[in-house]
Amino acid sequence: MMKMLVTSFPGFGHFLPVVPLAWAARAAGHEVLVVSTGQVLEASERAGLSWADAAPGGDIITAVVESMKDAEDKYRDSSNPAGAAEFMSAISSRMADRTLEIARAWKPDVIVHTPTESAGVLAASLLSVPAVSHGFGIASIGKTGMIEMIYEAFRPACERNGWKGELVGSAANIDTCPPSMREPDRPDAWYTRYIPFNGGGRLPDEYLAPSSKRRICVTLGTVIPYLSGVGGLGGVVEAVRDLDAEVILALGGTDPSALGTLPPNVRTVGWTPLSTLLPTCSAVVHHGGAGTTMNAIVAGVPQLILPHGADQHINAAAVRQRGAGLSMLPEEASAETVRHSLQRLLDEPGFTQASQEVSRENESQTPPSEIVPRLLALAGRS
């Protein structure tokens, strides 16, 4: 039996792609413990996974955002990876001490961590167990140099916990990027099928089959509404007013009042699993987050991406270059430009064809169940 510790940046988009691997490990009879905080603990509970809180007593993302008054600017500025690295390392620093305490008590055989999370890597270095990085979408974070920047900014947390040298790098990388969307110089990885997990819930009757009208999903994920609200969707809402389509605003628990009175063909829904909603849609408009992009790829649905920051520009470029969608900057998303782009996605069959091709590519990749034996071998438990 293997004990697999999962450490994650405390955001849905980072953790949810790891859930299928955790399920596969549990189904094979191994122990899994998730160590993070905030949203990840909620998601772990919904996924039936055991967890331990790495930062009890407060919302550390809010605390870091408040301590870094320019946090939103750093998130948005994709040309400044050092700013994003500072933000990520500050989060990991607040989780480091407790993560190490839990790891020492639980004694894992392997630590699977999300790419920008450093506390698990520190624990792996100090406990001399292999660390494996689990990607969350298309972007290869290791290529950007951000990991080195995060580790450098994380150095004070390492030193206060007794680690003076360089952090031990990941022994392997698990990558979910479909074959035709990989760069020629992409680092070697254990490629695996992306299996969406968005949390369970009742399946509404209207999602049991495609709509009688063409359906468009509009979402901004979980981070953008938190940082900026949903007012930026005004141009999108105006663009779909006269479209012969049903439009679903999937905004989670975000207040949509900033958008004013919605057109008759637009309605809002609460938290809805995209893996359930998107297969019934003809197109999706979103921010380019890794989870939303990959859910659309799995569903084979054309995408209109309005990237705000972080890895979203990388995702938008990859989707556009593959022919599976279009993109524009949020400030370019006027009613006219969005309407024109949506008409193209709905009316030009090439976008749907390319989207469905990539969906089949993803389906052909190695399932998470076949990654578990590799982890066993890496941990010396095979």
Side-chain angles (χ1 to χ4, degrees):
M1 184 186 71
M2 171 182 66
K3 298 177 76 172
M4 184 175 90
L5 188 71
V6 176
T7 61
S8 175
F9 181 85
F12 285 133
H14 295 250
F15 173 68
L16 297 184
V18 188
V19 169
L21 178 65
W23 282 340
R26 289 291 297 120
H30 307 294
E31 291 187 55
V32 176
L33 178 64
V34 177
V35 179
S36 187
T37 193
Q39 293 180 338
V40 168
L41 304 187
E42 175 190 338
S44 299
E45 190 87 27
R46 293 164 70 183
L49 299 172
S50 299
W51 55 264
D53 196 342
D59 180 348
I60 63 172
I61 290 186
T62 296
V64 169
V65 168
E66 290 178 350
S67 68
M68 297 170 60
K69 298 303 181 183
D70 57 349
E72 181 177 350
D73 292 336
K74 288 180 176 178
Y75 174 81
R76 285 179 173 275
D77 187 2
S78 60
S79 66
N80 178 24
E86 179 187 353
F87 177 75
M88 296 294 184
S89 66
I91 298 292
S92 290
S93 179
R94 292 179 184 241
M95 298 195 297
D97 300 5
R98 176 69 176 149
T99 297
L100 184 56
E101 178 184 343
I102 294 166
R104 282 176 167 150
W106 199 64
K107 298 180 174 59
D109 298 301
V110 64
I111 296 178
V112 176
H113 65 97
T114 58
T116 62
E117 194 280 322
S118 307
V121 182
L122 172 60
S125 299
L126 284 164
L127 300 181
S128 298
V129 299
V132 175
S133 176
H134 195 302
F136 46 71
I138 292 172
S140 178
I141 303 299
K143 283 187 59 180
T144 65
M146 184 180 290
I147 301 302
E148 291 78 9
M149 296 178 192
I150 291 174
Y151 288 177
E152 181 61 32
F154 186 65
R155 189 176 295 278
C158 296
E159 293 177 351
R160 73 169 182 258
N161 280 287
W163 185 263
K164 305 296 184 182
E166 299 296 323
L167 288 174
V168 176
S170 298
N173 296 298
I174 298 173
D175 195 331
T176 60
C177 185
S180 67
M181 302 182 84
R182 299 172 194 162
E183 313 91 326
D185 58 344
R186 196 174 184 91
D188 289 338
W190 295 349
Y191 286 103
T192 188
R193 184 185 307 161
Y194 187 97
I195 299 176
F197 170 72
N198 311 124
R202 184 183 70 85
L203 180 65
D205 289 347
E206 60 264 36
Y207 299 156
L208 290 172
S211 172
S212 58
K213 279 192 170 184
R214 294 184 295 186
R215 177 179 287 153
I216 299 170
C217 174
V218 179
T219 182
L220 287 177
T222 56
V223 176
I224 300 300
Y226 177 81
L227 291 174
S228 309
V230 298
L233 287 176
V236 176
V237 170
E238 187 60 31
V240 300
R241 179 180 298 275
D242 299 322
L243 281 182
D244 183 23
E246 175 191 11
V247 180
I248 307 294
L249 293 182
L251 303 179
T254 306
D255 181 5
S257 60
L259 298 172
T261 302
L262 298 176
N265 63 331
V266 178
R267 63 187 176 97
T268 62
V269 295
W271 175 263
T272 301
L274 290 181
S275 56
T276 298
L277 174 59
L278 291 185
T280 74
C281 294
S282 300
V284 55
V285 181
H286 64 97
H287 59 303
T292 309
T293 303
M294 290 304 298
N295 270 260
I297 284 173
V298 172
V301 177
Q303 309 176 48
L304 173 58
I305 301 180
L306 316 176
H308 288 66
D311 63 324
Q312 297 164 14
H313 295 279
I314 297 172
N315 299 330
V319 168
R320 187 177 63 248
Q321 289 166 8
R322 182 59 179 81
L326 299 168
S327 69
M328 66 183 72
L329 296 176
E331 55 268 27
E332 298 170 341
S334 66
E336 182 179 354
T337 57
V338 171
R339 186 182 300 111
H340 175 71
S341 295
L342 282 174
Q343 288 287 182
R344 289 192 61 196
L345 294 183
L346 294 171
D347 297 339
E348 297 179 20
F351 292 108
T352 298
Q353 179 180 337
S355 299
Q356 292 177 348
E357 288 172 356
V358 181
S359 176
R360 289 191 292 269
E361 289 177 13
N362 175 69
E363 189 175 350
S364 71
Q365 296 209 101
T366 301
S369 59
E370 295 184 18
I371 298 296
V372 174
R374 301 184 191 181
L375 293 173
L376 272 170
L378 193 62
R381 292 284 181 173
S382 58

